[in-house]
Amino acid sequence: MSLTYWCLVDRTASRGPGGWPAMQAGLLGTAPQCIPFEQRLLVFRALVAEDKERGRWDKPPSEGGPAPLQFTIHRGSLLQDGWSALRNSGAVVKGRLVVSFVNEQGMLEAGLDYGGLVKEFLEQAISTGFNADYGLFSSTPDGLAYPQPAATTIPNGLGLLEFLGLVVGKALYEGILLDVPLSPFFVARLQGRRPMFDDLAALDSELYRSLVQLKRYDGDAADLCLDFSVEDDTFGARSIQTLVPGGSQVAVTNSNKLHYIHLAADWHLNGRLSASSAAFARGLAQVIPPSWLKLFNPQEVNQLLGGGENGLVDVTDMAAHTCYSGGYSKDHATIKLFWKVMTSLSDKERQAVMRFVTSCSRAPLGGFQHLNPPLTLHKVPCEASLLAAVGGKDVDRLPSASTCYNMLKLPNYRRASTLKEKLLYAVSSNAGFELS
């Protein structure tokens, strides 16, 4: 390792008025590929920590921090209520949020928010807002999300997109994982970059191939009867958009086809997506500046948002950073059985357990020490035969999960075989809160 590289990495932990993480980010934003991803991740987290320290966002009011932002959300109108509560919050959203939920019957739900309800709110907002049926987001054939251009026609559509950008920013700021991979051309917009021609392949591979074929076409382009216009489709309503003034009357020829290719790709990537992408980016930038995201390429941004790329769950690391409640400890007999079972599971089964408990199948980047809230195993006391450990009737209850707290509610099984059977059944059938 070179001296220059060592200095760059070693000083990521040094924060203060000088803003060393910000200086590093400026350098790395120019040539991020020069530094390994793991080190750029450290710089990103140092930037967040420095920002929290500067704004005292993680401090209680008694220590000079801001008062918590309190708001109420009706589950039947979660997006609209969230937008109304946070649309004018500005930087205050970086501080502590206190959420109260009102159920479908109009009753205020009981419970204290120690971070779990905020996680639930963020996850539910993303799940609802990114659902294609809502009309705010669409996805590529590979399942990568981007804002629906027609969202501008939905009441408060741009405001809701800005709110969803704020939600994603808050999740990144707090290290809360969200299973919402974003398309590369959309990430480029969030980084303050303009998507280029090759980004069109991810949005519309057929159009991309057609434009490439036109570029390489040896014949007379005029024979293809193209003009400087494109067809737009807004929820089934078709319209013609011109790429130049009077474009529907301007034929594409060999002399201007490169200009046409550039304008057509730019319209699909930037013109058509401009308003909706800009709205989301405005919300995100209130929490996460574009310069911070420039530390990473689009694939790495998705890892930052949703966890490690390979999805493998390191059971040893998982155990080292797990908390226990309700009477469990790392030395409890059932806990020892649990870790024995987790070690025996396949990678796919471990990922399923992770999704069941946290709503995301991947571990956080850098390990479970960065999971927020921390993974917790909570004891559910249950009766069983005195001979359960040696073949008698064991606990029949299924495990359940509170994903908002990253908590697995685990009955005190006496045998590893029972624990494994019940756990995998609960996971595969998506058994929910307190289901038995």
Side-chain angles (χ1 to χ4, degrees), residues 200-219:
L200 183 62
L203 175 63
D204 190 329
S205 58
E206 183 176 346
L207 175 62
Y208 176 75
R209 285 193 299 269
S210 297
L211 293 177
V212 170
Q213 290 173 355
L214 174 60
K215 179 181 178 181
R216 299 171 178 172
Y217 186 59
D218 293 332

mmCIF file of all heavy atoms in Angstrom, residues 200-219:
data_model
loop_
_atom_site.group_PDB
_atom_site.id
_atom_site.type_symbol
_atom_site.label_atom_id
_atom_site.label_comp_id
_atom_site.label_asym_id
_atom_site.label_seq_id
_atom_site.Cartn_x
_atom_site.Cartn_y
_atom_site.Cartn_z
ATOM 1 N N LEU A 200 -29.328 4.267 -22.657
ATOM 2 C CA LEU A 200 -30.637 3.947 -23.218
ATOM 3 C C LEU A 200 -30.883 2.441 -23.267
ATOM 4 O O LEU A 200 -32.034 1.994 -23.209
ATOM 5 C CB LEU A 200 -30.760 4.550 -24.624
ATOM 6 C CG LEU A 200 -32.100 4.381 -25.342
ATOM 7 C CD1 LEU A 200 -33.213 5.066 -24.559
ATOM 8 C CD2 LEU A 200 -32.018 4.940 -26.763
ATOM 9 N N ALA A 201 -29.824 1.646 -23.339
ATOM 10 C CA ALA A 201 -29.972 0.188 -23.416
ATOM 11 C C ALA A 201 -30.719 -0.358 -22.210
ATOM 12 O O ALA A 201 -31.480 -1.327 -22.322
ATOM 13 C CB ALA A 201 -28.603 -0.472 -23.539
ATOM 14 N N ALA A 202 -30.511 0.247 -21.047
ATOM 15 C CA ALA A 202 -31.193 -0.233 -19.838
ATOM 16 C C ALA A 202 -32.653 0.187 -19.813
ATOM 17 O O ALA A 202 -33.495 -0.527 -19.255
ATOM 18 C CB ALA A 202 -30.480 0.299 -18.595
ATOM 19 N N LEU A 203 -32.976 1.315 -20.425
ATOM 20 C CA LEU A 203 -34.353 1.809 -20.432
ATOM 21 C C LEU A 203 -35.193 1.112 -21.492
ATOM 22 O O LEU A 203 -36.306 0.648 -21.223
ATOM 23 C CB LEU A 203 -34.357 3.321 -20.665
ATOM 24 C CG LEU A 203 -35.732 3.984 -20.829
ATOM 25 C CD1 LEU A 203 -36.545 3.824 -19.554
ATOM 26 C CD2 LEU A 203 -35.578 5.460 -21.188
ATOM 27 N N ASP A 204 -34.679 1.040 -22.716
ATOM 28 C CA ASP A 204 -35.423 0.453 -23.834
ATOM 29 C C ASP A 204 -34.416 -0.197 -24.780
ATOM 30 O O ASP A 204 -33.881 0.457 -25.681
ATOM 31 C CB ASP A 204 -36.221 1.544 -24.551
ATOM 32 C CG ASP A 204 -37.213 0.992 -25.559
ATOM 33 O OD1 ASP A 204 -36.933 -0.075 -26.136
ATOM 34 O OD2 ASP A 204 -38.253 1.633 -25.778
ATOM 35 N N SER A 205 -34.155 -1.465 -24.560
ATOM 36 C CA SER A 205 -33.126 -2.157 -25.336
ATOM 37 C C SER A 205 -33.488 -2.236 -26.820
ATOM 38 O O SER A 205 -32.608 -2.162 -27.682
ATOM 39 C CB SER A 205 -32.906 -3.568 -24.788
ATOM 40 O OG SER A 205 -34.102 -4.319 -24.814
ATOM 41 N N GLU A 206 -34.768 -2.361 -27.129
ATOM 42 C CA GLU A 206 -35.188 -2.439 -28.533
ATOM 43 C C GLU A 206 -34.945 -1.119 -29.246
ATOM 44 O O GLU A 206 -34.438 -1.093 -30.379
ATOM 45 C CB GLU A 206 -36.664 -2.821 -28.609
ATOM 46 C CG GLU A 206 -37.180 -3.008 -30.031
ATOM 47 C CD GLU A 206 -38.623 -3.471 -30.080
ATOM 48 O OE1 GLU A 206 -39.144 -3.903 -29.023
ATOM 49 O OE2 GLU A 206 -39.225 -3.397 -31.170
ATOM 50 N N LEU A 207 -35.300 -0.011 -28.593
ATOM 51 C CA LEU A 207 -35.045 1.307 -29.185
ATOM 52 C C LEU A 207 -33.551 1.527 -29.336
ATOM 53 O O LEU A 207 -33.091 2.061 -30.363
ATOM 54 C CB LEU A 207 -35.663 2.389 -28.307
ATOM 55 C CG LEU A 207 -35.374 3.838 -28.730
ATOM 56 C CD1 LEU A 207 -35.939 4.117 -30.115
ATOM 57 C CD2 LEU A 207 -35.952 4.818 -27.702
ATOM 58 N N TYR A 208 -32.775 1.132 -28.336
ATOM 59 C CA TYR A 208 -31.327 1.291 -28.393
ATOM 60 C C TYR A 208 -30.747 0.541 -29.593
ATOM 61 O O TYR A 208 -29.943 1.099 -30.355
ATOM 62 C CB TYR A 208 -30.706 0.778 -27.099
ATOM 63 C CG TYR A 208 -29.186 0.791 -27.079
ATOM 64 C CD1 TYR A 208 -28.487 1.981 -26.917
ATOM 65 C CD2 TYR A 208 -28.465 -0.397 -27.225
ATOM 66 C CE1 TYR A 208 -27.096 1.991 -26.884
ATOM 67 C CE2 TYR A 208 -27.081 -0.396 -27.200
ATOM 68 C CZ TYR A 208 -26.404 0.794 -27.030
ATOM 69 O OH TYR A 208 -25.031 0.799 -27.019
ATOM 70 N N ARG A 209 -31.172 -0.700 -29.783
ATOM 71 C CA ARG A 209 -30.677 -1.483 -30.930
ATOM 72 C C ARG A 209 -31.081 -0.840 -32.250
ATOM 73 O O ARG A 209 -30.297 -0.806 -33.216
ATOM 74 C CB ARG A 209 -31.205 -2.915 -30.857
ATOM 75 C CG ARG A 209 -30.522 -3.776 -29.805
ATOM 76 C CD ARG A 209 -30.858 -5.243 -30.016
ATOM 77 N NE ARG A 209 -32.287 -5.503 -29.901
ATOM 78 C CZ ARG A 209 -32.899 -5.832 -28.773
ATOM 79 N NH1 ARG A 209 -32.197 -5.932 -27.655
ATOM 80 N NH2 ARG A 209 -34.199 -6.053 -28.741
ATOM 81 N N SER A 210 -32.299 -0.304 -32.308
ATOM 82 C CA SER A 210 -32.766 0.329 -33.549
ATOM 83 C C SER A 210 -31.927 1.558 -33.894
ATOM 84 O O SER A 210 -31.568 1.767 -35.065
ATOM 85 C CB SER A 210 -34.241 0.722 -33.409
ATOM 86 O OG SER A 210 -35.060 -0.412 -33.228
ATOM 87 N N LEU A 211 -31.607 2.349 -32.883
ATOM 88 C CA LEU A 211 -30.803 3.547 -33.136
ATOM 89 C C LEU A 211 -29.367 3.180 -33.522
ATOM 90 O O LEU A 211 -28.757 3.844 -34.375
ATOM 91 C CB LEU A 211 -30.809 4.453 -31.906
ATOM 92 C CG LEU A 211 -32.157 5.098 -31.567
ATOM 93 C CD1 LEU A 211 -32.055 5.925 -30.290
ATOM 94 C CD2 LEU A 211 -32.656 5.974 -32.720
ATOM 95 N N VAL A 212 -28.829 2.121 -32.905
ATOM 96 C CA VAL A 212 -27.495 1.657 -33.288
ATOM 97 C C VAL A 212 -27.511 1.162 -34.730
ATOM 98 O O VAL A 212 -26.581 1.440 -35.514
ATOM 99 C CB VAL A 212 -27.013 0.550 -32.331
ATOM 100 C CG1 VAL A 212 -25.737 -0.114 -32.866
ATOM 101 C CG2 VAL A 212 -26.755 1.123 -30.944
ATOM 102 N N GLN A 213 -28.551 0.435 -35.110
ATOM 103 C CA GLN A 213 -28.662 -0.044 -36.486
ATOM 104 C C GLN A 213 -28.782 1.110 -37.468
ATOM 105 O O GLN A 213 -28.211 1.062 -38.576
ATOM 106 C CB GLN A 213 -29.867 -0.980 -36.604
ATOM 107 C CG GLN A 213 -29.679 -2.320 -35.899
ATOM 108 C CD GLN A 213 -30.948 -3.155 -35.887
ATOM 109 O OE1 GLN A 213 -32.009 -2.703 -36.333
ATOM 110 N NE2 GLN A 213 -30.857 -4.365 -35.354
ATOM 111 N N LEU A 214 -29.534 2.142 -37.070
ATOM 112 C CA LEU A 214 -29.645 3.322 -37.931
ATOM 113 C C LEU A 214 -28.284 3.983 -38.113
ATOM 114 O O LEU A 214 -27.923 4.405 -39.234
ATOM 115 C CB LEU A 214 -30.642 4.317 -37.333
ATOM 116 C CG LEU A 214 -30.771 5.666 -38.052
ATOM 117 C CD1 LEU A 214 -31.233 5.465 -39.498
ATOM 118 C CD2 LEU A 214 -31.733 6.582 -37.294
ATOM 119 N N LYS A 215 -27.525 4.070 -37.052
ATOM 120 C CA LYS A 215 -26.196 4.677 -37.133
ATOM 121 C C LYS A 215 -25.309 3.919 -38.120
ATOM 122 O O LYS A 215 -24.520 4.523 -38.861
ATOM 123 C CB LYS A 215 -25.563 4.693 -35.751
ATOM 124 C CG LYS A 215 -24.164 5.292 -35.704
ATOM 125 C CD LYS A 215 -23.602 5.251 -34.290
ATOM 126 C CE LYS A 215 -22.176 5.801 -34.240
ATOM 127 N NZ LYS A 215 -21.607 5.748 -32.870
ATOM 128 N N ARG A 216 -25.430 2.602 -38.129
ATOM 129 C CA ARG A 216 -24.582 1.758 -38.977
ATOM 130 C C ARG A 216 -25.200 1.479 -40.348
ATOM 131 O O ARG A 216 -24.607 0.775 -41.163
ATOM 132 C CB ARG A 216 -24.311 0.428 -38.273
ATOM 133 C CG ARG A 216 -23.565 0.580 -36.943
ATOM 134 C CD ARG A 216 -23.509 -0.728 -36.189
ATOM 135 N NE ARG A 216 -22.759 -0.609 -34.928
ATOM 136 C CZ ARG A 216 -22.695 -1.552 -34.009
ATOM 137 N NH1 ARG A 216 -23.348 -2.711 -34.195
ATOM 138 N NH2 ARG A 216 -22.000 -1.365 -32.900
ATOM 139 N N TYR A 217 -26.361 2.023 -40.601
ATOM 140 C CA TYR A 217 -27.084 1.734 -41.852
ATOM 141 C C TYR A 217 -26.319 2.285 -43.050
ATOM 142 O O TYR A 217 -25.970 3.474 -43.091
ATOM 143 C CB TYR A 217 -28.475 2.358 -41.765
ATOM 144 C CG TYR A 217 -29.377 2.014 -42.926
ATOM 145 C CD1 TYR A 217 -29.704 0.698 -43.224
ATOM 146 C CD2 TYR A 217 -29.911 3.028 -43.722
ATOM 147 C CE1 TYR A 217 -30.541 0.393 -44.278
ATOM 148 C CE2 TYR A 217 -30.756 2.741 -44.772
ATOM 149 C CZ TYR A 217 -31.063 1.419 -45.057
ATOM 150 O OH TYR A 217 -31.895 1.124 -46.105
ATOM 151 N N ASP A 218 -26.069 1.413 -44.016
ATOM 152 C CA ASP A 218 -25.278 1.806 -45.191
ATOM 153 C C ASP A 218 -26.122 2.394 -46.300
ATOM 154 O O ASP A 218 -25.597 3.034 -47.223
ATOM 155 C CB ASP A 218 -24.505 0.593 -45.741
ATOM 156 C CG ASP A 218 -23.428 0.120 -44.784
ATOM 157 O OD1 ASP A 218 -22.923 0.964 -44.015
ATOM 158 O OD2 ASP A 218 -23.120 -1.086 -44.793
ATOM 159 N N GLY A 219 -27.441 2.140 -46.256
ATOM 160 C CA GLY A 219 -28.299 2.636 -47.321
ATOM 161 C C GLY A 219 -28.683 4.085 -47.120
ATOM 162 O O GLY A 219 -28.082 4.817 -46.319
#
